[in-house]
Amino acid sequence: VIVVQVESGSPGADAGLKAVDIIVAFEGDKVKNVAGFLSSMAKKKIGDTVNLEIYRNKKPFSVSLLLRRKPED
């Protein structure tokens, strides 16, 4: 799954995700497509911390992401 955009102040931004990062695993399980990724996310709760394995500039690394509600505009 390719990250297209990361909103400032979002959980992704706080975890250090950047546009064009490639998410290759969610909680240790290989991410095959967007639907599978979203399905895995839907099984988690607000307040959970999830681990993502990503590639950036052909280099692998892991980030921890704290799930929280999107702030109201």
Side-chain angles (χ1 to χ4, degrees), residues 20-43:
V20 305
D21 284 348
I22 301 170
I23 301 170
V24 296
F26 178 91
E27 291 290 287
D29 295 324
K30 184 177 179 182
V31 172
K32 297 179 183 178
N33 54 45
V34 173
F37 176 74
L38 293 176
S39 176
S40 294
M41 287 286 285
K43 295 174 186 173

Side-chain angles (χ1 to χ4, degrees), residues 6-17 65:
V6 180
E7 292 184 35
S8 178
S10 70
D14 291 347
L17 287 176
L65 183 109

Side-chain angles (χ1 to χ4, degrees), residues 6-14 46 66-73:
V6 180
E7 292 184 35
S8 178
S10 70
D14 291 347
I46 298 297
L66 174 63
L67 302 179
R68 63 176 195 268
R69 293 193 190 284
K70 183 177 179 180
E72 298 296 322
D73 292 328

